[in-house]
């Protein structure tokens, strides 16, 4: 599902003249909410909106819906008012959610097309981008394997309105960028949604290869033979318990005017297509969710897919190690000592701390390929869910200026991320007793930080950021603006980070 079947267009004609099954706009929570364009609608509808607001039915509270049928003065057959909260707190992130929630609200009511009216005085390019992102990500459903789809309920087209002729070019640009980013986010979510019996490491690599070819990106898939030749002992140690061979997916974006000594960004993502825990096996309850343990890798594949279309002026190498983590007669066992590609020896105290093992070799390989700045994304620890729940991505960094850039991109794209501490003291927790390092901390808490420190050992002096997306890559419940399941979190931030580099 990389191409959306939702038609998104712009129409600068007067919004009242647009024929549609619904006209959607938003209302702020303020003493007199019927202002600007709402006042225009109100006067052609004989004071209808003032009556609805005056009675307390429409208050502007965030994501409150008021559906009005046959509104006077509009060609549209319905008017949907979506609460936008306080005007001073309004952001692109809220607009994105309003757009998504409106689409899902109308879709569930069998509406097939609608127009969305941007309110007066909005910043144009950015908000058309936010709208496109909101609509396209909201339209994504996880019913691929259901033989009966949602009763054929589908939104075919959305028209953006309220833009003047002079604002049109900027809005069209924003719309196009938003489409690329949201379709890539849905590409990521589609991969994460696949069950592990369908999406094995080999299948993930094939899909990555098809995507790269379509996007015009260079691709190199390392199979188990090349992985062994390169002595990627940490990745191999996780893969040895599985009947499915591992893959290392490498995709490169090179800008047209690439300079030889320019920085190269490495996007490294954990892609464990299923994490049973291995011999340190996980409890049965909830284990099915561990098909999402490849979300970090899928996020990086989606990000480079978007970058191929947006053409930033910086080289990007995406490195995605992929394997299953299985128990079995050949599986590694607690206490086993492995040698990573870098030469460092690792004492595997818990086979369920496998993400950091495969990332160790991926980060080292990315450095060999010439990356100068690294970001990794991984569903790495249950501990980050304890710390930040499903609200914030955990951010860990070895270089504050580089980390600050990412945090600024997160802010700009409305993704919640929170920096975690990386004091040297935590490094002591993973000092090995019988090898250089051990793959879990020695019982003193701080599980997400010790996980991050383990990866950092392999990044060395190269500026590095780790995103722990274990809590945020999967919505256990549907949101008004997003289906239950994979979220595609961090992709927008990563694309923004590369574009603003
Ligand atoms: N894939 C899991 C992380 C995870 C755990 C995500 C629970 C969501 C919910 C990872 O490979 C893992 O199992 N981590 C262990 C590390 C521990 C053994 C140090 C964990 O968090 O329990
Ligand atoms: Zn695990
Ligand atoms: Zn895992």
């Amino acid at each position: 599902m990389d191409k959306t079947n939702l038609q998104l267009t712009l129409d600068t004609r007067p919004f009242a003249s647009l024929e549609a099954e619904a006209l959607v706009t938003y209302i702020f929570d303020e003493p007199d909410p019927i202002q600007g364009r709402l006042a225009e609608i109100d006067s052609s509808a004989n004071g209808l909106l003032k009556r609805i607001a005056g009675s307390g039915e429409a208050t502007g509270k965030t994501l409150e819906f008021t559906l009005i049928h046959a509104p006077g003065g509009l060609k549209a057959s319905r008017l949907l008012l979506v609460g936008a909260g306080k005007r001073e707190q309004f952001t692109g992130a809220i607009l994105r959610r309003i757009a998504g929630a409106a689409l899902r609200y109308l879709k569930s009511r069998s509406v097939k097309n609608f127009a969305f009216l941007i309110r007066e005085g909005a910043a144009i390019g950015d908000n058309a981008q936010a709208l496109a992102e909101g609509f396209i990500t909201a339209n994504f459903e996880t019913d691929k394997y259901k033989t009966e789809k949602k009763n054929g309920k589908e939104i075919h087209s959305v028209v953006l309105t309220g833009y003047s002729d002079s604002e049109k070019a900027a809005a069209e640009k924003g719309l196009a960028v938003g489409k690329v980013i949201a379709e890539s986010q849905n590409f990521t979510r589609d991969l994460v949604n696949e069950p592990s019996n369908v999406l094995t490491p080999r299948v993930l690599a094939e899909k990555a290869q098809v995507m790269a070819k379509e996007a015009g990106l260079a691709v190199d898939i390392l199979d188990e033979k090349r992985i062994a030749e390169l002595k990627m002992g940490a990745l191999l140690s996780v893969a040895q318990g599985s009947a499915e061979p591992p893959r290392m997916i490498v995709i490169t974006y090179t800008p047209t005017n690439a300079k030889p000594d320019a920085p190269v960004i490495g996007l490294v993502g954990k892609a464990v297509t299923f994490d049973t825990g291995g011999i340190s096996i996980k409890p049965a309850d909830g284990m099915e969710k561990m098909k999402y343990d490849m979300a970090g890798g899928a996020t990086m594949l989606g990000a480079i897919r978007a970058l191929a279309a947006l053409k930033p002026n910086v080289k990007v190498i995406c490195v995605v190690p992929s394997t299953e983590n299985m128990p079995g007669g050949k599986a590694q066992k607690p206490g086993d000592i492995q040698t990573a590609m870098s030469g460092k020896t690792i004492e595997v105290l818990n086979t369920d701390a496998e993400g950091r093992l495969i990332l160790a070799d991926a980060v080292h390989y990315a450095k060999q390929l010439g990356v100068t700045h690294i970001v990794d994304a991984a569903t790495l620890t249950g501990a980050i869910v304890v710390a930040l729940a499903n609200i914030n991505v955990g951010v860990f960094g070895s270089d504050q200026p580089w980390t600050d850039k990412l945090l600024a991109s997160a802010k700009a794209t409305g993704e919640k991320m929170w920096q975690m501490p990386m004091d040297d003291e935590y490094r002591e927790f993973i000092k090995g007793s019988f090898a250089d390092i051990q793959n879990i901390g020695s019982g003193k808490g701080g599980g997400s930080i010790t996980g991050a420190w383990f990866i950092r050992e392999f990044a060395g002096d190269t500026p590095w950021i780790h995103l722990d997306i274990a809590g945020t890559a999967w919505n256990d419940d549907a949101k008004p603006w997003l289906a239950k399941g994979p979220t595609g979190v961090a992709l927008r931030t990563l694309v923004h980070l590369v574009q603003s580099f």
Side-chain angles (χ1 to χ4, degrees):
M1 143 105 243
D2 38 348
K3 278 276 175 286
T4 180
N5 43 9
L6 176 69
Q7 270 216 25
L8 274 183
T9 50
L10 207 79
D11 197 327
T12 53
R13 286 175 296 173
F15 64 83
S17 71
L18 297 180
E19 288 193 36
E21 290 182 40
L23 178 75
V24 181
T25 194
Y26 43 103
I27 171 171
F28 292 108
D29 179 2
E30 55 194 353
D32 174 19
I34 309 305
Q35 301 182 31
R37 284 182 177 150
L38 290 190
E40 279 178 52
I41 298 175
D42 184 62
S43 63
S44 58
N46 297 318
L48 176 65
L49 298 194
K50 284 212 168 109
R51 285 199 298 280
I52 290 173
S55 71
E57 194 181 335
T59 64
K61 296 252 175 327
T62 311
L63 295 183
E64 163 202 82
F65 291 101
T66 312
L67 183 63
I68 302 157
H69 283 265
L74 295 180
K75 274 267 173 69
S77 23
R78 300 171 186 81
L79 174 65
L80 176 63
L81 295 179
V82 187
K86 301 276 183 218
R87 192 186 281 263
E88 347 38 288
Q89 288 164 13
F90 191 65
T91 59
I94 295 173
L95 182 63
R96 190 183 291 108
R97 286 187 175 181
I98 287 173
L103 181 139
R104 294 186 73 76
Y105 180 94
L106 292 171
K107 191 196 240 183
S108 73
R109 282 157 183 79
S110 300
V111 167
K112 302 221 175 307
N113 66 77
F114 64 91
F116 189 97
L117 172 63
I118 196 83
R119 289 287 299 270
E120 62 282 358
I124 302 319
D126 283 5
N127 80 36
Q129 181 181 335
L131 288 174
E133 290 168 359
F135 292 135
I136 293 170
T137 52
N139 199 36
F140 177 91
E141 303 291 354
T142 47
D143 58 0
K144 178 173 174 186
Y145 291 102
K146 289 196 173 169
T147 52
E148 266 178 57
K149 308 287 180 206
K150 289 195 166 174
N151 313 324
K153 286 183 182 176
E154 213 178 313
I155 301 276
H156 299 305
S157 64
V158 180
V159 172
L160 273 54
T161 173
Y163 297 93
S164 68
D165 286 323
S166 67
E167 295 165 337
K168 193 175 176 191
E172 292 278 14
K173 174 103 197 299
L175 194 61
V177 171
K179 270 186 195 173
V180 164
I181 291 175
E183 284 172 8
S184 297
Q185 203 172 330
N186 286 351
F187 169 82
T188 293
R189 294 164 77 199
D190 195 42
L191 291 174
V192 177
N193 187 47
E194 290 291 351
S196 74
N197 60 325
V198 174
L199 194 93
T200 59
R202 280 184 293 177
V203 172
L204 179 65
E206 278 162 25
K207 285 180 185 277
Q209 187 158 31
V210 169
M211 178 277 287
K213 292 244 163 84
E214 281 176 5
L217 294 164
V219 56
D220 185 19
I221 307 290
L222 280 59
D223 62 9
E224 64 273 30
K225 247 185 81 193
R226 280 180 69 202
I227 289 170
E229 279 162 16
L230 288 165
K231 298 197 164 61
M232 294 181 173
L235 171 59
L236 284 171
S237 78
V238 178
Q240 74 189 42
S242 173
E244 289 291 335
R247 290 291 180 265
M248 183 72 86
I249 303 162
V250 182
I251 299 179
T252 305
Y253 163 78
T254 311
T256 33
N257 303 319
K259 292 195 188 75
D261 287 327
V264 181
I265 299 178
L267 300 180
V268 180
K270 168 180 176 183
V272 173
T273 57
F274 197 84
D275 183 10
T276 67
I279 296 299
S280 315
I281 198 161
K282 287 182 182 294
D285 198 25
M287 202 205 272
E288 71 280 358
K289 187 172 158 181
M290 283 301 137
K291 71 172 187 176
Y292 95 134
D293 212 20
M294 34 61 71
T299 302
M300 295 317 192
L301 294 173
I304 203 161
R305 178 190 183 279
L307 291 167
L310 299 173
K311 305 202 185 312
N313 202 19
V314 56
K315 183 170 173 175
V316 180
I317 305 180
C318 174
V319 180
V320 176
S322 186
T323 177
E324 288 185 332
N325 187 24
M326 296 289 285
K330 292 191 172 150
Q332 70 174 334
K333 302 166 288 299
D336 286 3
I337 294 177
Q338 311 290 358
T339 305
M341 185 187 187
S342 74
K344 255 194 220 316
T345 56
I346 303 165
E347 198 179 347
V348 179
L349 295 183
N350 189 315
T351 65
D352 197 10
E354 85 297 342
R356 60 199 75 182
L357 294 174
I358 73 172
L359 289 170
D361 283 342
V363 163
H364 183 79
Y365 190 56
K367 288 206 303 178
Q368 277 206 345
L369 296 176
V371 308
T372 60
H373 294 73
I374 300 173
V375 188
D376 82 63
T379 48
L380 202 77
T381 65
I384 203 67
V385 191
V386 176
L388 302 174
N390 61 345
I391 307 298
N392 274 281
V393 171
V395 179
F396 305 80
S398 66
D399 179 270
Q400 201 54 42
W402 177 227
T403 310
D404 284 340
K405 276 194 176 170
L406 177 118
L407 293 169
S409 289
K411 197 151 225 162
T413 56
E415 293 196 298
K416 288 184 190 284
M417 302 207 178
W418 193 260
Q419 187 173 3
M420 302 288 285
M422 282 294 282
D423 305 78
D424 286 339
E425 285 92 329
Y426 294 107
R427 186 185 201 164
E428 303 299 311
F429 293 20
I430 53 164
K431 270 211 168 138
S433 308
F434 305 103
D436 298 339
I437 48 175
Q438 56 191 39
N439 78 331
I440 58 169
S442 29
K444 296 178 200 116
S448 301
I449 307 171
T450 47
W453 255 113
F454 185 95
I455 305 168
R456 181 173 171 175
E457 288 290 328
F458 296 86
D461 294 335
T462 306
W464 157 91
I465 298 165
H466 159 63
L467 304 178
D468 196 334
I469 58 170
T472 45
W474 186 273
N475 275 343
D476 289 329
D477 303 301
K479 305 273 185 207
W481 58 89
L482 212 68
K484 168 180 174 163
T487 61
V489 73
L491 185 144
R492 288 205 308 267
T493 297
L494 292 163
V495 169
H496 188 279
L497 174 70
V498 173
Q499 283 197 291
S500 55
F501 192 80

